[in-house]
Amino acid sequence: MKLRKIIALVSLVVVIGGSIYGYLVYKDIFSENTAFSEDRVAVYIPKGATFSQVQDSVKPYIADMERFNMVADKKSYPQYVKSGKFILKRGMNSNDIINALRQPVPVNISFNNQETLDRAIGRIAQQIEPDSLTLLKVFTHKNFLDENGFTEDNLLSMFIPNTYEFFWDTSALKVREKLAKEYRKFWNEERLAKAERLNMTPLEVSSLAAIVHKETVKEDERPRVAGVYLNRLQKGMKLEADPTVIYAIKRQSGDFDQVIKRVLNKDLVIDSPYNTYKNQGVPPGPIAMPDISAIDAVLNAEKHNYIYFCASTTKPGYHEFAVTAAQHQENARKYHAWVQKLGIVR
């Protein structure tokens, strides 16, 4: 009888002990284990990262690292660390956190208004894992340029400003492949046919579109500005576009941060293939990254007889257009008087 009581008591102790242990394990696994007030935070795990590196990355957001480590070990996470961007949500338990660290989420990267290839690639590098040097090396590889008909001068044309989805740890090669594919997709049969009717290549269209983009921020005016430049090309005239002179000055000095609001007569003689006051035709590459509206403005340019245009003094952001040199000189006179009044000397 006593033996039965002892066995029953031991069994009860075992059951109670097991229950307590089970509760503690359950608590370690399924109780809240985050330490941030935001609704969610992003964690970035580089390729080849060890579990120790993951611990360093998540430590600021975890309330109890011992509980996190225990669950990670039970779920064999340290042996199967994944790279990428991961989202942790406030209130997650350790189990949720480990599951989240196994599900990389995509990132949306965007780029626009970049004046140089280096800056475009630098902007991309800010948003994904590969650094700018790695990306630049891949994008400017001679075989890639030759096979796709690009040069380092016109490669900026390949970057069609848009929003693209990547995983954060996407390789530089795959980034290049995706953007090249999107470029070929952008230049569909319709756009290629329109460029051919203008007797221009897609690269020449992009170079002209960059000028149009720089000339006016008003999208509704871009087809008219494009029409002016196409009229000049058809008449065998030089483009004589001030933005190309500004670009030539920046490129020659290496200072793309300088602000030049006014082009002076002395600037027009700068020796540069980008100076359209000295050189015939479009520049050897875009002077900036043209957006889609500027490219389509060239392909769908307004048909008119205008040869000249000048910034308007009465419609901010817009321009006054002229057919004759005399009309243009009058518009220019008003503009220069207005600029002088504002005290803009450079």
Side-chain angles (χ1 to χ4, degrees), residues 16 82 84 106-107 137 146 152 184 195 213-215 220 226 243 262 274 282 342:
I16 293 173
K82 284 192 174 183
V107 296
K137 183 177 180 180
D146 292 345
E152 289 192 32
R184 291 189 291 268
H213 181 113
K214 281 292 188 179
E215 285 285 14
D220 60 328
R262 186 176 180 183
Y274 290 88
V282 299
L342 292 177

Side-chain angles (χ1 to χ4, degrees), residues 301-314:
E302 183 179 311
K303 296 187 184 303
H304 53 61
N305 295 321
Y306 296 129
I307 301 296
Y308 309 97
F309 65 96
C310 178
S312 174
T313 60
T314 59

Side-chain angles (χ1 to χ4, degrees), residues 35 37 43 99 121 153 195 223 251 320:
S37 58
V43 174
N99 289 340
I121 287 178
D153 284 331
R251 183 183 174 98
E320 302 293 344

Side-chain angles (χ1 to χ4, degrees), residues 77-259:
Y77 175 79
Q79 291 79 41
Y80 301 99
V81 170
K82 284 192 174 183
S83 60
K85 175 185 177 181
F86 304 90
I87 298 298
L88 304 184
K89 298 178 181 178
R90 179 161 48 92
M92 276 183 163
N93 56 49
S94 298
N95 188 64
D96 294 333
I97 294 169
I98 296 300
N99 289 340
L101 292 174
R102 284 177 165 159
Q103 299 175 30
V105 298
V107 296
N108 291 321
I109 72 167
S110 59
F111 46 81
N112 56 20
N113 296 329
Q114 307 300 319
E115 287 189 298
T116 68
L117 178 64
D118 286 352
R119 291 195 169 194
I121 287 178
R123 177 74 184 101
I124 294 173
Q126 292 173 355
Q127 303 171 78
I128 55 177
E129 183 181 18
D131 60 43
S132 56
L133 289 178
T134 302
L135 287 166
L136 186 62
K137 183 177 180 180
V138 165
F139 274 98
T140 58
H141 193 281
K142 187 177 186 304
N143 289 346
F144 172 75
L145 295 177
D146 292 345
E147 289 170 6
N148 291 276
F150 293 118
T151 67
E152 289 192 32
D153 284 331
N154 62 32
L155 182 59
L156 192 60
S157 302
M158 193 190 81
F159 294 77
I160 304 298
N162 216 327
T163 300
Y164 301 91
E165 186 176 271
F166 289 95
F167 282 101
W168 178 77
D169 59 341
T170 300
S171 71
L173 275 173
K174 288 187 177 180
V175 173
R176 186 186 73 182
E177 289 171 6
K178 168 108 175 189
L179 294 185
K181 181 180 179 180
E182 291 297 323
Y183 172 79
R184 291 189 291 268
K185 182 180 177 181
F186 175 81
W187 282 101
N188 55 29
E189 290 185 8
E190 182 181 0
R191 285 192 173 98
L192 288 173
K194 288 179 178 180
E196 189 174 358
R197 284 196 289 271
L198 294 174
N199 197 30
M200 299 178 77
T201 67
L203 293 174
E204 289 172 330
V205 170
S206 292
S207 288
L208 184 57
I211 297 173
V212 173
H213 181 113
K214 281 292 188 179
E215 285 285 14
T216 178
V217 298
K218 304 296 185 181
E219 291 189 15
D220 60 328
E221 190 184 52
R222 284 176 174 171
R224 179 167 291 189
V225 171
V228 170
Y229 284 127
L230 289 173
N231 286 345
R232 291 182 186 178
L233 289 174
Q234 290 167 5
K235 291 178 178 293
M237 299 171 62
K238 293 185 178 70
L239 292 179
E240 297 189 348
D242 286 0
T244 67
V245 177
I246 294 172
Y247 178 83
I249 294 171
K250 291 182 176 182
R251 183 183 174 98
Q252 195 172 86
S253 67
D255 180 8
F256 281 89
D257 291 321
Q258 62 182 303
V259 177

